[in-house]
Amino acid sequence: MEDCIAKGVKVAHFFTAGFSETGEPERAELEREVLAIAKRGGIRLIGPNCMGVYCPEAGLTFSEAFPREAGSVGMISQSGTNASEFTNRGMLRGLRFSKVVSFGNAADVNAAELFDYLAWDPKTELIAAYLEGVRDARPLFESLRRAAARKPVLILKGGRTEAGSRATASHTSSLAGNDILWDALCRQVGAIRVNSVEEMVDLAVTFRFLRPPQGPRVALLAGGGGISVLSTDEIASAGLQVPPLSDQTRQALRDMVPLAGHSIRNPLDASPLLESRHFAQAYEAIVSSDNIDLLMVMGGGFGPPGTDGDDRTQVILDTIRQKPIKPTAFIVRYGATSREGRAAHDMTDRLIEAGMPAYHSVAGAARAIDRYLRFLRMRNGVTATA
Amino acid sequence: MEDCIAKGVKVAHFFTAGFSETGEPERAELEREVLAIAKRGGIRLIGPNCMGVYCPEAGLTFSEAFPREAGSVGMISQSGTNASEFTNRGMLRGLRFSKVVSFGNAADVNAAELFDYLAWDPKTELIAAYLEGVRDARPLFESLRRAAARKPVLILKGGRTEAGSRATASHTSSLAGNDILWDALCRQVGAIRVNSVEEMVDLAVTFRFLRPPQGPRVALLAGGGGISVLSTDEIASAGLQVPPLSDQTRQALRDMVPLAGHSIRNPLDASPLLESRHFAQAYEAIVSSDNIDLLMVMGGGFGPPGTDGDDRTQVILDTIRQKPIKPTAFIVRYGATSREGRAAHDMTDRLIEAGMPAYHSVAGAARAIDRYLRFLRMRNGVTATA
């Protein structure tokens, strides 16, 4: 440490543990000592009990697996594993990052300062945060308010239950605080609270890749009756709507879909509409409907090239890019087998390359899109409706 | 059909569609005609608009992918895709099946008859059902009551929302009925209602592979602080408990886990305990605790053979099988990448071979185990407590 001071180091991050989070007095004392030395030498400390900083633009990382390419998502995390989890899962969904900061016990640099930093960082367009607790609530509240006024902020709070809260004490020596207070805090400043890393990734993907829908009315294009029914239940339960299609729209689709084994109501249990010869016409008929705000396309039916050599996926993607009439979201469900898992990965990659929002479950997509719509309504000053 | 009658056929299943579910009067009439002819000839009809029967013992199937080996799970479904989905996902989690019946529009053989059949079928130990609606509520109610009095019954109801209910009409021409009534019906007869195929599989796996815990108090053994905190929140939110470990238990574990980067409270953020040299002692210390009813082990830490050639997974499985002190559940999380997905599949296979319950998410496992405990309490006539 003394050596760092002599060399004029400005910031040190402690990719290490064994300090105040252990609950041992002598370890907590060690943390205070390190901090005092750093303060004397004018060094800012990130950590301890953290993994530090990933900043691809500066060539800085704490995992070799993270992308070298930079992006617009900023993330701060009191947990190194959750920072990695968000970055690893997010990168496979097309997210790229400006800065990801795992800051552990926050002995010096704290969440409030990091929110302020990302709020004014021109490279960051969306802020995600995993927090376990806070020693000084007022500065955090103020910085969160400033950040949320400038950019969308997603908050994942660890320790929302009593048992989880006990766990945060031994993880980052945090006082987790009352769960209801965190809810109120997020609502008051306009931050979006999520309950899992998966939900956080789904929301970040939505902000990054889904054009803002004008309303909550979904057309669901799927294949399989029972799956369409359950998916419709999930979309409606999340707060979105699946309204009946107009007679005019149904008329336009009728000739493309055999009567038996399909349905051209909404949900559309109608995989033939995803065929290359039909998709452009079907897409236009559906998204031109007055009572539809966005299209959700459920995977499986738009798989690898057909035996006739046509690349069905390419046709679908080209059609949507050439005529982006209404926002379109894709659901690539993971199949049961390992082979299906690889196919789902490949399909997800193609969608991301085309700049499309790709989700892995209908429930996850619907929840994220509903939260996104509520956020847009709030920001536009319109009262939220069901 | 006339030909079938002449040949003395007793039952026909219609792996086809295009009948009353289309909403077209002439198609509905066709269904009635087929039914009338069958009745005249003494043939029972399964369907139409279905996939029919999978009965491995009889060598009968509607998918080549289903296992040839028979088992104890019976399933009936008004949707062929959901029957396949449950069977496909369930078989990879170790479930095997007595009979799976996709019965579509239920023009003749209906849910009530099928519940009665499975309730008295000696090969069936658990009954799962995907239902969209019913024409005649009273017989269904009575047969469901009889079935649930004899065996655990899982009910997945499609069309629980208004939009989903509209979708059932065009799928199997069902009247989905009031969602609150279905809740009340399930509670009254003691059936377990689930909201997704995944939840149904999680519950079937729990009934099949998890020994009944004496209570809801979980010890969570994981690796990674932030993930342990969020997992604890998920377990507690599902209704289970994650109580602090006794000083005695912590004392017994202390020497096996370095202080820095770990925690031997509960959750146990302590992957060293999964090492071959430690696991037997750690397992015994944890599950011998008076205030612990079951152990949940979260994957990652118990991967493929180490560089020293020891097979850590085998040590863990052998230890638990030799001393099944308390029920143990494994969570094999799917990693972000395709390679991690394959590793998770392989690990799941090994757990199943050893007769262990394997789940893919902490939230899913906790929800299923909580429902299982409530079911056991109800059946034992004990009032359910939080």
Side-chain angles (χ1 to χ4, degrees):
Chain A
M1 199 68 160
E2 303 291 355
D3 198 43
C4 288
I5 296 171
K7 284 180 177 156
V9 166
K10 299 276 183 242
V11 181
H13 70 76
F14 270 54
F15 193 152
T16 174
F19 294 88
S20 64
E21 82 281 0
T22 59
E24 307 288 329
E26 66 272 24
R27 298 299 187 118
E29 180 53 33
L30 183 64
E31 185 171 306
R32 279 191 295 272
E33 270 173 43
V34 170
L35 184 61
I37 297 169
K39 277 227 161 110
R40 245 183 358 254
I43 295 180
R44 296 303 309 270
L45 276 192
I46 295 174
N49 189 27
C50 77
M51 295 188 183
V53 177
Y54 161 53
C55 175
E57 199 189 3
L60 203 62
T61 192
F62 54 88
S63 164
E64 281 182 16
F66 295 166
R68 282 164 189 277
E69 187 193 348
S72 61
V73 177
M75 197 242 186
I76 65 172
S77 176
Q78 272 183 277
S79 151
T81 45
N82 285 342
S84 295
E85 184 93 353
F86 178 73
T87 311
N88 276 322
R89 293 189 181 258
M91 76 181 187
L92 294 168
R93 302 278 296 282
L95 300 181
R96 293 296 180 268
F97 305 87
S98 52
K99 282 95 186 167
V100 175
V101 185
S102 151
F103 65 102
N105 293 358
D108 179 16
V109 172
N110 61 32
E113 290 176 284
L114 290 166
F115 275 126
D116 273 331
Y117 176 83
L118 291 179
W120 270 266
D121 174 29
K123 303 291 173 68
T124 299
E125 288 171 16
L126 175 133
I127 302 169
Y130 171 75
L131 300 177
E132 293 197 344
V134 61
R135 287 195 194 81
D136 203 353
R138 179 53 58 180
L140 180 78
F141 176 76
E142 295 299 343
S143 71
L144 190 52
R145 184 207 294 281
R146 285 189 293 269
R150 297 178 64 92
K151 295 168 187 178
V153 176
L154 313 176
I155 303 281
L156 174 57
K157 174 64 183 59
R160 62 192 161 89
T161 62
E162 196 196 315
S165 164
R166 262 200 316 275
T168 65
S170 54
H171 179 220
T172 51
S173 76
S174 293
L175 291 170
N178 188 306
D179 190 55
I180 296 166
L181 282 181
W182 278 91
D183 254 355
L185 173 63
C186 288
R187 233 187 346 262
Q188 208 174 330
V189 302
I192 300 173
R193 189 165 177 198
V194 297
N195 276 331
S196 67
V197 172
E198 290 75 10
E199 202 184 340
M200 202 169 209
V201 170
D202 280 338
L203 261 158
V205 164
T206 305
F207 273 96
R208 174 71 185 79
F209 294 110
L210 188 74
R211 291 186 306 125
Q214 292 298 306
R217 298 167 303 175
V218 176
L220 174 64
L221 176 46
I227 280 179
S228 300
V229 170
L230 291 178
S231 299
T232 301
D233 279 337
E234 284 171 342
I235 294 169
S237 296
L240 302 175
Q241 296 165 20
V242 189
L245 293 179
S246 68
D247 286 343
Q248 195 190 339
T249 306
R250 298 187 62 204
Q251 203 56 50
L253 302 173
R254 184 153 311 209
D255 292 342
M256 294 182 255
V257 185
L259 191 61
H262 301 99
S263 165
I264 49 167
R265 293 162 208 258
N266 192 14
L268 289 135
D269 168 13
S271 47
L273 297 180
L274 293 163
E275 289 171 18
S276 302
R277 62 200 168 121
H278 291 321
F279 185 75
Q281 200 187 332
Y283 168 75
E284 196 153 344
I286 297 165
V287 295
S288 301
S289 300
D290 285 344
N291 71 336
I292 294 300
D293 298 307
L294 75 149
L295 173 63
M296 284 173 71
V297 181
M298 223 172 130
F302 55 106
T307 43
D308 57 346
D310 69 321
D311 184 344
R312 188 183 279 198
T313 305
Q314 203 55 50
V315 172
I316 292 173
L317 294 176
D318 288 345
T319 303
I320 294 174
R321 271 187 300 189
Q322 278 156 28
K323 286 194 180 177
I325 306 173
K326 299 255 172 84
T328 301
F330 289 87
I331 321 297
V332 184
R333 295 171 73 242
Y334 273 69
T337 67
S338 177
R339 192 176 52 78
E340 290 166 335
R342 279 198 298 282
H345 270 292
D346 295 344
M347 177 58 68
T348 305
D349 286 346
R350 292 193 66 181
L351 293 170
I352 291 166
E353 268 169 46
M356 303 286 173
Y359 303 86
H360 291 320
S361 79
V362 172
R367 233 178 356 239
I369 294 171
D370 178 68
R371 302 296 299 273
Y372 181 49
L373 282 169
R374 284 169 197 273
F375 175 85
L376 294 174
R377 282 199 296 261
M378 178 199 70
R379 216 178 41 181
N380 297 336
V382 180
T383 311
T385 57
Chain B
M1 200 68 159
E2 302 291 356
D3 198 41
C4 288
I5 296 171
K7 284 179 178 156
V9 167
K10 298 275 182 244
V11 180
H13 69 77
F14 270 54
F15 194 153
T16 174
F19 294 87
S20 64
E21 81 282 0
T22 59
E24 308 286 331
E26 67 272 25
R27 298 297 188 118
E29 180 53 34
L30 184 63
E31 184 171 306
R32 279 189 295 273
E33 270 174 43
V34 170
L35 184 62
I37 296 169
K39 278 226 161 110
R40 242 183 2 252
I43 296 180
R44 297 302 308 268
L45 277 193
I46 295 175
N49 189 27
C50 76
M51 296 187 183
V53 177
Y54 161 54
C55 175
E57 198 189 3
L60 202 62
T61 193
F62 54 88
S63 164
E64 280 182 17
F66 294 166
R68 282 164 190 277
E69 187 192 346
S72 60
V73 176
M75 197 238 185
I76 64 171
S77 176
Q78 271 183 279
S79 151
T81 45
N82 285 342
S84 295
E85 185 93 352
F86 178 72
T87 311
N88 276 321
R89 293 188 181 259
M91 76 181 188
L92 293 169
R93 301 278 297 281
L95 300 180
R96 293 297 181 267
F97 306 87
S98 54
K99 284 95 187 169
V100 175
V101 185
S102 152
F103 65 101
N105 293 357
D108 181 16
V109 171
N110 60 31
E113 290 176 285
L114 291 166
F115 275 126
D116 273 332
Y117 177 83
L118 291 180
W120 272 265
D121 173 29
K123 303 291 172 71
T124 299
E125 289 170 17
L126 175 133
I127 303 170
Y130 171 75
L131 301 176
E132 294 196 343
V134 59
R135 288 197 193 79
D136 203 352
R138 179 54 56 182
L140 180 78
F141 176 77
E142 296 298 345
S143 71
L144 190 52
R145 184 205 295 280
R146 284 189 295 268
R150 296 179 65 92
K151 295 168 188 178
V153 177
L154 312 177
I155 303 280
L156 174 56
K157 172 67 182 58
R160 63 193 160 90
T161 62
E162 196 197 314
S165 164
R166 263 200 315 274
T168 65
S170 55
H171 180 219
T172 51
S173 76
S174 292
L175 291 171
N178 188 305
D179 189 55
I180 295 166
L181 282 181
W182 277 92
D183 253 355
L185 172 62
C186 288
R187 232 187 347 263
Q188 209 175 329
V189 303
I192 300 173
R193 190 166 175 198
V194 296
N195 276 329
S196 67
V197 172
E198 290 76 9
E199 202 184 340
M200 201 168 210
V201 171
D202 280 338
L203 261 157
V205 164
T206 306
F207 273 97
R208 174 72 185 78
F209 294 110
L210 188 74
R211 290 187 305 125
Q214 292 300 306
R217 298 166 303 174
V218 177
L220 174 64
L221 177 46
I227 280 179
S228 301
V229 170
L230 291 177
S231 299
T232 301
D233 279 337
E234 284 170 342
I235 294 169
S237 297
L240 303 174
Q241 297 165 19
V242 189
L245 293 179
S246 68
D247 285 343
Q248 195 192 339
T249 307
R250 298 186 64 205
Q251 202 58 49
L253 302 173
R254 187 155 310 213
D255 292 342
M256 294 182 256
V257 185
L259 190 61
H262 301 98
S263 165
I264 49 169
R265 292 160 208 259
N266 192 14
L268 290 135
D269 167 12
S271 48
L273 297 181
L274 293 163
E275 290 171 17
S276 302
R277 61 198 168 122
H278 290 321
F279 185 75
Q281 200 187 332
Y283 167 75
E284 195 152 347
I286 297 166
V287 296
S288 301
S289 300
D290 284 344
N291 72 334
I292 293 300
D293 299 307
L294 75 148
L295 173 64
M296 284 173 69
V297 181
M298 224 173 130
F302 54 106
T307 43
D308 57 345
D310 70 321
D311 184 344
R312 187 183 280 198
T313 305
Q314 203 54 51
V315 172
I316 292 173
L317 294 176
D318 288 346
T319 303
I320 294 174
R321 270 188 299 190
Q322 278 156 26
K323 286 194 181 179
I325 306 173
K326 299 255 171 83
T328 301
F330 289 87
I331 321 298
V332 184
R333 294 171 72 242
Y334 273 70
T337 67
S338 177
R339 190 177 52 79
E340 290 166 335
R342 278 199 299 282
H345 270 292
D346 295 344
M347 176 58 68
T348 305
D349 287 346
R350 291 192 66 180
L351 293 169
I352 291 166
E353 268 169 48
M356 303 286 173
Y359 304 86
H360 291 319
S361 79
V362 172
R367 235 179 354 241
I369 294 171
D370 178 68
R371 303 294 301 273
Y372 181 48
L373 282 169
R374 284 168 196 275
F375 175 85
L376 294 174
R377 283 199 296 262
M378 177 198 71
R379 214 180 41 182
N380 297 337
V382 181
T383 311
T385 56

